[in-house]
Amino acid sequence: SGAQRSYFVVYRDSVELANGITENSYRDATVLEGENHVYSVATVNVNETEGAAIAASEVELPYYGRKKIATPV
């Protein structure tokens, strides 16, 4: 059995987009250029308790049409 660790849940337009994220960033590979979305991130602690979702601190739209979501500061 592995050690428990905290992770992030990413929401797009208030709908869960990704779960179990342990990296400091997440790339939304499904977004299309020209779309507008609201992203938020919540932390889930080792006890599986999810905190309140907060707005992401950085969203960038490269020319590829993908958005990179940075974790809250």
Side-chain angles (χ1 to χ4, degrees), residues 17-58:
L17 179 64
N19 181 321
I21 305 300
T22 57
E23 300 298 320
N24 290 333
S25 64
Y26 173 78
R27 186 172 302 274
D28 181 353
T30 64
V31 70
L32 300 176
E33 190 169 348
E35 292 181 342
N36 294 308
H37 298 286
V38 176
Y39 291 86
S40 56
V41 179
T43 301
V44 179
N45 67 21
V46 295
N47 297 317
E48 294 294 315
T49 303
E50 184 171 330
I54 59 173
S57 61
E58 176 186 337

